[in-house]
Amino acid sequence: QVHLVESGGGLVHPGGSLRLSCEASGSIFRVIAMGWYRQAPGKERELVATVNAGGGTNYADSVKGRFTISRLTAQRMVSLQTSSLKPEDTAVYYCNARIYNTSTTWGDYWGQGTRVTVAS
């Protein structure tokens, strides 16, 4: 159906930066929006950032000014550039895409996740 693949996670020192990337493939009529969510151990999954078809973005308060989401529509890709990383940013980061499979039906799809660990 629809397959999302994330990359870019790893071990980062506090204050460091990394770039997460995600590419969507499969039965895609049109991408409505793409975004990033994260889930820390023992916690619920939370929104990090999203970008819609019109280019509008939304960020969690905890990452505003530090993270930037970008979408390459033609390539069905989305990236998350992070900076000034904090230990509390440690989580598995999941790519999400809301996609029209046909002109009238849509669904939400998730990647397998990429782990980001911020520690000294």
Side-chain angles (χ1 to χ4, degrees):
Q1 195 168 13
V2 175
H3 186 55
L4 304 180
V5 178
E6 303 107 329
S7 62
L11 176 63
V12 186
H13 292 123
S17 302
L18 58 75
R19 181 182 178 89
L20 306 181
S21 298
C22 173
E23 183 173 4
S25 62
S27 301
I28 302 172
F29 179 77
R30 182 171 67 86
V31 176
I32 301 170
M34 298 186 74
W36 291 93
Y37 293 71
R38 67 186 182 187
Q39 187 168 21
K43 297 185 180 296
E44 297 181 349
R45 187 173 299 185
E46 64 177 354
L47 181 148
V48 177
T50 61
V51 56
N52 62 29
T57 58
N58 183 41
Y59 294 91
D61 288 341
S62 60
V63 307
K64 286 181 179 178
R66 299 190 298 118
F67 292 9
T68 301
I69 187 169
S70 300
R71 180 181 169 189
L72 299 175
T73 304
Q75 299 180 26
R76 296 171 176 172
M77 295 180 64
V78 65
S79 67
L80 186 72
Q81 180 66 53
T82 71
S83 63
S84 301
L85 285 164
K86 306 173 181 179
E88 51 263 44
D89 294 318
T90 296
V92 176
Y93 285 70
Y94 296 92
C95 179
N96 168 261
R98 177 163 288 185
I99 293 171
Y100 267 109
N101 303 110
T102 70
S103 63
T104 57
T105 61
W106 60 269
D108 282 322
Y109 300 89
W110 297 89
Q112 292 294 309
T114 185
R115 176 170 276 104
V116 173
T117 302
V118 184
S120 59

